[in-house]
Amino acid sequence: MLKSEYLQRVYTQVIARDPDQREFHQAVLEVLESLDLIVEKHPEYEKHGIIEAFVEPERVISFRVPWVDDQGRVRVNRGYRIQFSSAIGPYKGGLRFHPTVNLSILKFLGFEQILKNSLTGLPMGGAKGGADFDPKGKSDNEVMRFCQSFMTELNRHIGQFVDVPAGDIGVGAREIGYLFGQYRRIRGSYDAGVLTGKGLAFGGSLARTEATGYGLCYLTEEMLKCMKNDSFAGKTVVISGSGNVAIFAAEKATALGAKVVALSDSNGYIHDPDGIKLDVVKDIKLKRRARIKVYADEVPGSTYADGFRGIWNVPCDIALPCATQNEIDEETAKIIVKNGAMAVAEGANMPCRPEAIRVFQEAGLLFAPAKAANAGGVATSGLEMSQNSMRYSWTFEEVDHRLQEIMVNIFHNTYDASVECDAPGDLVVGANIAGFLKVAGVMLAQGLI
Ligand code: GLU
């Protein structure tokens, strides 16, 4: 129950409007619980209907995506784009291709994206999109035909000043390439800034691929330094997932002196007590597009076990969940605490259930929520947009340096906001409030209501 009668009314209406959108309710409730600490000081929010507007997407687009498989059969998927908020900049956020994609998941992701993008300090609104298409087991040609059909519909809704999609689960460099090719064909114009995460030869930014994972480690390192006078050096790290975020988080954590001992995919996890060999993982996951199980067949001394949740039985000092939403429940969180972890930072979006976060915080672990911790990906997308506008490319070092600066700033803004609203060190509250104050201020300034 929320203390503020206004916030409770807004939340009740969110549920009444879309009773089955559980992930969306979860994301909204977490933010409203944080706003509960400040809303009394801001009567203008209620007067101007700011929070009602904030939880309602500006636009929800749903469309049919027909495509032809390699057997010549027509298949039909459902595509979406949630243009949630354009208060502080063009809509910005990734596309997810996964069989679980539905309106609830995309609305939660789009909603989170508003605050995450606000925290980066760059002028980007919030959006998310995707389709219930499963790229797993599809041929390159099938993925290409799917992407072309998806963009045939999506192209009319996006643009460098309108809405700039990028990747997310199931959408990487290959998919962005096919999507951009189709956009360019349909529009007859080379608008590089319409998508981010592009290949380097057609307007992509150096360090974008690494950015989410690296950024997660930069923020975590700053959090360890400022809140515990500690660092990654000498720590044991467990990272769930084995996609882009997990792989580059493992790379940076290792570079900062930690030992990463486990990674997972949706089938199971690998444990390598000597430290995961990342060149092998990159070859398996990024080149061969195979399952993580193969690692245990190829690296002596490592083991594989079925079931992705089992990874959290592996003891660690620092846990970086980088797979997908709601992976860590209360019971799993208790195991992580019991095994002696000191910090958890979310690389995936909303990987920890609210009860799990409570367990971490009550046990005194450092906890960095996704909208702060994984903002490095979209921040570097913002840097890609800047480079596209300048028709210029920065070096890897230059982009990486800006990314580090952004992540350090996000940590401090988040921490400071937590102190200002009497919840010192609660970075969930800090991230929600720091992200929200900026968006709400702009909504008031622009007189949207
Ligand atoms: N999908 C990423 C995220 O969750 C990146 C989005 C982007 O680069 O626009 O933030």
Side-chain angles (χ1 to χ4, degrees), residues 5 7 25 121 145 214 225 234 293 301 391 409:
E5 184 264 330
L7 292 181
H25 302 164
R145 288 192 292 271
Y214 279 21
K225 183 175 107 188
K293 189 180 202 299
R391 299 169 187 283
N409 282 339

Side-chain angles (χ1 to χ4, degrees), residues 68-325:
V68 179
D69 70 17
D70 286 346
Q71 284 69 48
R73 276 195 314 259
V74 175
R75 308 263 206 113
V76 178
N77 284 96
R78 186 173 287 175
Y80 305 90
R81 187 73 178 163
I82 317 294
Q83 298 180 327
F84 220 121
S85 167
S86 59
I88 63 175
Y91 305 109
K92 179 82 195 90
L95 297 171
R96 177 176 291 193
F97 291 169
H98 194 269
T100 56
V101 161
N102 58 34
L103 262 183
S104 175
I105 292 202
L106 294 181
K107 278 177 67 182
F108 117 63
L109 290 163
F111 181 71
E112 290 279 299
Q113 200 82 42
I114 306 171
L115 298 171
K116 183 193 312 195
N117 295 2
S118 165
L119 286 172
T120 67
L122 301 173
M124 300 181 289
K128 204 83 187 189
D132 58 357
F133 170 78
D134 189 358
K136 221 182 280 167
K138 303 285 190 304
S139 70
D140 273 352
N141 278 335
E142 288 178 322
V143 170
M144 180 182 73
R145 288 192 292 271
F146 178 81
C147 288
Q148 289 173 338
S149 180
F150 186 86
M151 185 54 86
T152 299
E153 179 62 32
L154 185 69
N155 86 87
R156 74 197 67 208
H157 304 292
I158 61 176
Q160 64 164 324
F161 298 114
V162 180
D163 182 357
V164 183
D168 195 78
I169 295 173
V171 179
R174 172 181 64 170
E175 290 74 18
I176 294 292
Y178 294 146
L179 291 164
F180 183 72
Q182 184 71 352
Y183 184 87
R184 184 171 62 71
R185 264 173 228 117
I186 292 175
R187 307 293 281 236
S189 148
Y190 210 101
D191 301 334
V194 70
L195 290 170
T196 60
K198 299 180 292 294
L200 292 180
F202 55 99
S205 172
L206 285 160
R208 174 64 189 89
T209 314
E210 293 82 353
T212 315
Y214 279 21
L216 172 66
C217 291
Y218 294 146
L219 182 129
T220 306
E221 183 82 343
E222 190 69 9
M223 172 175 81
L224 290 167
K225 183 175 107 188
C226 299
M227 295 176 73
K228 278 259 185 329
N229 195 22
D230 209 331
S231 75
F232 266 108
K235 301 290 185 301
T236 299
V237 178
V238 166
I239 303 181
S240 63
S242 48
N244 207 40
V245 182
I247 288 175
F248 291 102
E251 183 165 288
K252 187 51 76 180
T254 309
L256 291 168
K259 182 157 82 171
V260 179
V261 295
L263 288 174
S264 62
D265 63 17
S266 54
N267 296 353
Y269 71 95
I270 51 161
H271 181 205
D272 188 341
D274 294 335
I276 300 275
K277 280 128 209 94
L278 271 179
D279 46 340
V280 180
V281 175
K282 282 185 187 171
D283 186 63
I284 293 170
K285 297 302 297 186
L286 304 179
K287 288 217 179 81
R288 288 189 262 162
R289 293 181 189 276
R291 306 302 295 169
I292 198 72
K293 189 180 202 299
V294 176
Y295 183 92
D297 302 334
E298 298 183 1
V299 179
S302 69
T303 51
Y304 172 79
D306 276 327
F308 64 91
R309 278 215 169 81
I311 191 170
W312 299 112
N313 293 319
V314 178
C316 64
D317 302 308
I318 299 169
L320 303 177
C322 297
T324 193
Q325 67 274 352

